[in-house]
Amino acid sequence: MSSLERAYNKILDFQSQDTKSLFVRGDGQYLYDLEGKAYLDFKANAGTALLGHFQPALVDAIVDQASKIMSRDLNNPSKPELDLEEYLSREIFGEKFQLAFSQTHEEALDTALQVALCHHPERFNVLSFLSPAKQKNGIIGKMLSKPALFSNRISPRLVFPQIHHFQMPVDQTSFESLKRNLEHFFNTICSPHNVACCFVESFGLDEGMHFPLDLFFGALTQLKREYGILTFLDESHTSFGRIGSRFSYQERAFEPDAVLVETCLGLPLSILALDKSICVDYPENIPSNLGPLNAAVALAGLKILGKKAVRENILFWGERVRKRLESRFGEHLQVRGKGLLIGIEAKSNGFDLNSLLLRARLKGLLIGHCQLAKNVIYLTPPLLVNESSLDEALYILEQIIDYELLLSSK
């Protein structure tokens, strides 16, 4: 047994309860483990790996850019970064937004927070409606435990941002609860005049695959109008066509002050798009640190996703998957979502979704589960998924659901 195989066995022993595997190769919608077994990747890193695996156009972009230059001067952007910025401004965001790039979402959140605190130099409070994972692991969680040096056009200052976490409302009941909590917060803990910004997610994946209510975004608009509280919208799960449109806010009567995107187009890409009107108080250029290789690959991927036929297929296949599952299992499961962002909720507590996840992996299908809503799983396949892969995945899933329903009925 090789050292790699021994390491693989140790990983499987340690992670057996999490139904994970060590993957060594990918191709389109498939991942392959050390033994050569193929898995349909209908999890795709919680939907942020938009193009799947081993896309020839991305490989060509990597090889081409690597043969030219792979690193950048610290003080000057590279040509691929400028090309990416020009494309995004022209085709997607428009001239309203100033763009900054990085390889990690934490950098984008950090920059957004600094811009907000410079825009409101006397406000040190921030509202967070982000998922528990981002609250704990990202800059929004880390900023609670350390001060940061911020500077505006007047003078540098050491501040201690105070982050206040709230649960994103996904139905009328949770929205009414949030209204009461915010009213209590503003009356007893912090005046809304002392809040600089709020961070919001466009989609509650951890909360059970729900879109926030329009009422919630209406309330955020009112906070901006009455108190100047900025809204920074995280579109990581709903960006670049995952739901058919480029971004979810474009389908609402809502204008965020900044859009954040964490995605993977062959290589990691994090985008911060800031309304130019809130950048005037920032003392220098918004930092951007992506690098020519990541930028060249991102541009190649975005041009693929920009094709009209790709967006039309996303809506078509998503609707087909939902209707097929609803027609067969509507009595036992609730299927929701939009485009290729699909949630499946068990209506009965007797339905064992943990068992379903394990059986799916054993049969070669990777699907996700929500952290907070334990009775919800999700399908987020690559956006270039084809009909045969969809039919194969649905056949496996239907077999497993039939079996789990049979067990739960006994």
Side-chain angles (χ1 to χ4, degrees), residues 265-277:
L265 295 166
L267 293 174
L269 169 66
S270 188
I271 301 172
L272 172 61
L274 289 155
D275 190 310
K276 291 179 179 178
S277 65

Side-chain angles (χ1 to χ4, degrees), residues 125 164 166 181-192 194:
N125 292 278
H164 308 277
F166 294 90
N181 291 337
L182 283 176
E183 182 178 2
H184 174 77
F185 173 79
F186 289 144
N187 288 333
T188 63
I189 299 176
C190 174
S191 165
N194 293 327

Side-chain angles (χ1 to χ4, degrees), residues 162-318:
Q162 296 297 307
I163 317 297
H164 308 277
H165 300 298
F166 294 90
Q167 187 170 348
M168 184 181 69
V170 296
D171 54 31
Q172 187 66 39
T173 300
S174 59
F175 176 70
E176 295 299 330
S177 176
L178 175 64
K179 284 176 59 179
R180 292 191 296 270
N181 291 337
L182 283 176
E183 182 178 2
H184 174 77
F185 173 79
F186 289 144
N187 288 333
T188 63
I189 299 176
C190 174
S191 165
H193 294 285
N194 293 327
V195 176
C197 66
C198 60
F199 287 86
V200 182
E201 284 194 289
S202 62
F203 185 76
L205 186 142
D206 289 330
E207 292 80 4
M209 302 294 287
H210 291 282
F211 285 95
L213 296 180
D214 287 337
L215 287 172
F216 175 55
F217 286 99
L220 295 177
T221 300
Q222 185 176 354
L223 288 176
K224 170 67 179 297
R225 185 169 56 248
E226 294 184 8
Y227 307 108
I229 299 175
L230 306 176
T231 298
F232 296 160
L233 183 63
D234 191 328
E235 289 262 13
S236 295
H237 297 300
T238 51
S239 63
F240 301 128
R242 168 65 65 182
I243 59 173
S245 58
R246 287 192 172 114
F247 298 103
S248 69
Y249 78 87
Q250 296 173 339
E251 301 180 358
R252 303 175 184 269
F254 178 71
E255 292 292 333
D257 297 289
V259 178
L260 300 103
V261 177
E262 179 184 28
T263 188
C264 180
L265 295 166
L267 293 174
L269 169 66
S270 188
I271 301 172
L272 172 61
L274 289 155
D275 190 310
K276 291 179 179 178
S277 65
I278 68 172
C279 299
V280 295
D281 298 306
Y282 200 75
E284 54 192 28
N285 292 331
I286 304 298
S288 189
N289 182 28
L290 182 62
L293 187 62
N294 291 60
V297 175
L299 182 56
L302 289 172
K303 288 181 177 179
I304 295 173
L305 294 176
K307 298 176 181 178
K308 182 179 179 182
V310 173
R311 295 198 298 271
E312 290 175 346
N313 282 340
I314 290 168
L315 291 172
F316 176 79
W317 294 128

Side-chain angles (χ1 to χ4, degrees), residues 118 121 149-158 283:
C118 287
L149 181 65
F150 294 99
S151 59
N152 54 26
R153 292 190 179 274
I154 301 174
S155 63
R157 59 200 174 97
L158 190 67

